[in-house]
Amino acid sequence: MFEYLPLAHQVPEEWRAQSAVFSELFFVFLVVGTLVGVVVVAYTMYNLYRNRDDGTGPEGFEAPKLGELPTGQTGGKSSKLFLSFGLSAIIVISLVVYSYGLLLYVEQGPSGDVADEQNMEVEVVGIQFAWQFHYPNGVQTTGTLNVSQGEVVRLAVTSDDVWHNFGAPELRVKADAIPGEYSHTWFIANETGTYDVKCYELCGSGHSQMTAEIVVMEEEEFNEWYESAGANVTETPTPTPDDHGGEDDEGGGHGSVPAHGDAAATARMGVAA
Ligand SMILES: [Cu+2]
């Protein structure tokens, strides 16, 4: 139904990091919520003052009764009721449409021909108690994920033993690591630097030490590292999972773990369904 919305993000200049999308969502909801709150509270205070009982009230005033619409009063009370209801509906529906479009982008990442070519898919494997990264050229690292600045990095997250959860809070990345299946997520890091990775699913005695880091390098530096590391690879490249990116896969994957208490995963399931 809303497939056309991510089309707005087909050119690299419009690719936005998930963290930027979430910041915008929080900002918009904060501003709209504050404005509505100020208007409602101010209007309530104004009416409290205007309709205060100073002993000179109108004769025969009938106060609204519980469970009845306040119609029939003079002064257009019912039209005010429907006006406020209509305004609320417009605000709520606008926010739903707006945030649903952004959440689809968060879910699927940049789309289009350029995004299909300019990305790197890395297989992320959780083990007790470390994170392993398998690059398309066969390079494997443990504990450090090197990526290029500004590139779309797609992650296929899985586990070799028990349930883990791969999370990099600063990049707003989080995905279940479940044996036998892949969770898909993506990120763009526009700033070079080092970002913390932690395991967010209690997985055993070493859970708290199950950390890693994402190192974002400048493009040249990354290419240099990637090629020299790739030159040392003797074994055949690890096949990357071929079931990536599909909305159905995503829904199916999360749908098969209904007992899981991860609020983010539940929210994603809701969006993908
Ligand atoms: Cu873990």
Side-chain angles (χ1 to χ4, degrees):
M1 176 181 181
F2 286 102
E3 276 92 357
Y4 63 92
L5 282 169
L7 293 180
H9 305 286
Q10 284 201 350
V11 285
E13 292 76 48
E14 288 173 6
W15 292 351
R16 303 175 62 197
Q18 296 197 29
S19 51
V21 173
F22 281 118
S23 298
E24 181 188 305
L25 276 173
F26 281 123
F27 179 75
V28 167
F29 273 73
L30 179 70
V31 168
V32 173
T34 305
L35 280 178
V36 169
V38 165
V39 168
V40 167
V41 171
Y43 187 65
T44 305
M45 302 297 274
Y46 163 74
N47 276 297
L48 274 177
Y49 179 75
R50 198 191 63 170
N51 298 319
R52 68 193 182 284
D53 185 3
D54 56 0
T56 63
E59 292 288 314
F61 175 77
E62 279 181 53
K65 292 187 187 69
L66 194 66
E68 276 178 24
L69 282 179
T71 53
Q73 302 263 7
T74 51
K77 281 200 172 65
S78 61
S79 64
K80 264 185 210 160
L81 178 78
F82 288 109
L83 178 70
S84 65
F85 181 79
L87 279 177
S88 308
I90 288 170
I91 292 173
V92 168
I93 290 170
S94 306
L95 285 176
V96 166
V97 171
Y98 159 74
S99 53
Y100 190 77
L102 283 182
L103 287 175
L104 274 185
Y105 175 68
V106 163
E107 185 82 0
Q108 295 163 2
S111 55
D113 296 340
V114 188
D116 287 344
E117 276 173 27
Q118 285 185 23
N119 69 52
M120 179 175 72
E121 178 158 306
V122 179
E123 186 188 12
V124 179
V125 183
I127 52 166
Q128 287 172 314
F129 297 96
W131 293 106
Q132 295 177 332
F133 304 100
H134 301 189
Y135 294 80
N137 68 348
V139 172
Q140 295 194 14
T141 58
T142 301
T144 307
L145 171 62
N146 293 323
V147 300
S148 171
Q149 179 185 19
E151 185 177 33
V152 178
V153 181
R154 298 192 182 276
L155 302 177
V157 182
T158 188
S159 166
D160 255 0
D161 39 48
V162 299
W163 283 16
H164 303 277
N165 186 295
F166 180 87
E170 275 177 282
L171 296 168
R172 301 287 196 277
V173 167
K174 204 155 173 286
D176 289 324
I178 297 170
E181 56 184 77
Y182 285 95
S183 309
H184 298 276
T185 186
W186 64 278
F187 68 90
I188 301 172
N190 291 318
E191 310 268 324
T192 57
T194 303
Y195 300 85
D196 287 337
V197 170
K198 290 191 182 100
C199 179
Y200 285 86
E201 184 75 54
L202 188 58
C203 58
S205 60
H207 168 66
S208 61
Q209 282 96 52
M210 190 168 163
T211 58
E213 53 188 24
I214 296 174
V215 178
V216 181
M217 306 167 157
E218 281 171 21
E219 195 180 343
E220 264 180 41
E221 192 189 352
F222 172 79
N223 288 339
E224 219 169 88
W225 170 82
Y226 192 62
E227 274 159 34
S228 69
N232 297 327
V233 175
T234 47
E235 59 200 294
T236 50
T238 313
T240 48
D242 52 4
D243 59 335
H244 59 80
E247 205 180 75
D248 298 337
D249 293 331
E250 194 72 10
H254 290 293
S256 63
V257 284
H260 192 26
D262 183 336
T266 312
R268 285 198 301 276
M269 188 163 65
V271 169

